[in-house]
Amino acid sequence: MNILTFRSNEELNEAGAGIITGLVQTNPRAVLGLATGGTPVGIYEEIVKTYRKGMVSFKSVTTFNLDEYVGIPEDHPESYHAYMKHHLFGHVDLSPERTHIPNGNAADLEQECAKYNQHLEDAKQIDLQLLGLGHNGHIGFNEPDHALVSGTHIVKLKDETREANARFFDSIDEVPTHALTMGVGTILKAKMILLVVRGADKAEIVHKALTGPITTECPASLLQTHPHVVVLLDTASGRLLNA
Ligand code: PGA
């Protein structure tokens, strides 16, 4: 595991964006696993800047998002469809038929998960999976549990996850109770994982996930078993490592 700590958000964003655009420059047909939430926003901004300078093209890239809420319309500002359009898809030359996000409004959610798994299988392997980290150790929406699911599935969101995400909604009652998420099996199959974490409030979970026991009660701890993980931290979230 290669852990890099940055003194400023700008440096962290540039490093994260540089890893992703560098991969696409060397492999224009790369398959990217993408994340949402507050953490990657600045990285997407840097990617868009690089694209606007004409230094990278995404026209042959395929993307798979980690997750989507169940039951909010795609054009709801907090849907992950809207998020991706706003922060990345609307600004670069990604081909819409090569971008994938689970459909949280599918009439048959089980079938939607099976379809998403099939698309992932057809793509063979994600070259780089971008991940944020939940305060409870979740990755994607794989919440702590005594057992985890390998493929894409429906999850009931933990109260703490809904509380953490309530900042994006008018009230907690509006935060969906369920989501569709890629499973940990798919995440761990990625060739490379880029885990990004910011903020003092994540210092404890960073320490637990990266140095604690490997347990499904902290899904991010499973990343310790992966051969190629790069972790980008700000000094606040990394403060308990080597402490
Ligand atoms: P955040 O969420 O980037 O909004 O902090 C991370 C996560 O829950 O995975």
Side-chain angles (χ1 to χ4, degrees):
M1 202 174 272
N2 188 3
I3 303 175
L4 305 169
T5 307
F6 296 87
R7 268 194 298 261
S8 76
N9 266 312
E10 290 70 30
E11 286 170 308
L12 192 161
N13 293 337
E14 281 169 18
I19 290 170
I20 295 169
T21 54
L23 170 69
V24 173
Q25 283 158 344
T26 54
N27 177 10
R29 302 187 62 79
V31 180
L32 301 179
L34 299 178
T36 51
T39 306
V41 169
I43 291 179
Y44 291 140
E45 274 171 19
E46 286 300 321
I47 290 175
V48 171
K49 278 190 208 164
T50 307
Y51 170 76
R52 286 191 176 143
K53 286 183 199 152
M55 291 163 65
V56 67
S57 168
F58 294 88
K59 68 178 192 299
S60 303
V61 166
T62 298
T63 68
F64 287 92
N65 265 78
L66 283 166
D67 44 23
E68 177 58 288
Y69 291 119
V70 167
I72 57 172
E74 279 183 13
D75 60 1
H76 185 292
E78 294 311 327
S79 83
Y80 291 159
H81 280 77
Y83 173 106
M84 290 311 301
K85 194 170 158 195
H86 181 68
H87 292 293
L88 186 68
F89 296 170
H91 310 288
V92 299
D93 59 347
L94 271 162
S95 151
E97 49 300 351
R98 274 195 282 273
T99 64
H100 304 84
I101 307 179
N103 175 7
N105 291 298
D108 184 336
L109 292 172
E110 297 282 356
Q111 202 179 39
E112 173 62 19
C113 292
K115 199 170 98 186
Y116 207 66
N117 284 331
Q118 189 57 53
H119 286 313
L120 282 159
E121 221 165 278
D122 293 345
K124 306 253 179 342
Q125 190 181 27
I126 290 174
D127 292 297
L128 181 149
Q129 176 65 58
L130 178 62
L131 289 181
L133 176 66
H135 292 93
N136 64 3
H138 74 205
I139 45 176
F141 272 137
N142 293 279
E143 300 279 35
D145 209 337
H146 48 266
L148 296 175
V149 180
S150 177
T152 309
H153 60 287
I154 306 163
V155 283
K156 183 175 183 327
L157 299 175
K158 296 265 188 193
D159 290 345
E160 62 262 26
T161 297
R162 294 185 64 239
E163 279 156 24
N165 290 2
R167 70 191 196 276
F168 299 119
F169 291 81
D170 288 338
S171 79
I172 187 152
D173 299 333
E174 287 182 26
V175 184
T177 55
H178 290 76
L180 303 184
T181 186
M182 233 186 234
V184 287
T186 306
I187 292 171
L188 291 171
K189 237 170 42 192
K191 209 178 280 178
M192 173 188 171
I193 291 176
L194 182 61
L195 175 69
V196 183
V197 195
R198 309 175 199 261
D201 53 321
K202 299 247 177 102
E204 274 178 39
I205 194 63
V206 164
H207 184 254
K208 193 169 153 189
L210 304 187
T211 69
I214 297 168
T215 162
T216 59
E217 297 295 346
C218 178
S221 69
L222 271 69
L223 300 176
Q224 293 178 41
T225 67
H226 192 281
H228 191 186
V229 180
V230 174
V231 186
L232 308 184
L233 305 174
D234 62 357
T235 38
S237 64
R239 93 187 132 85
L240 297 179
L241 296 175
N242 309 316

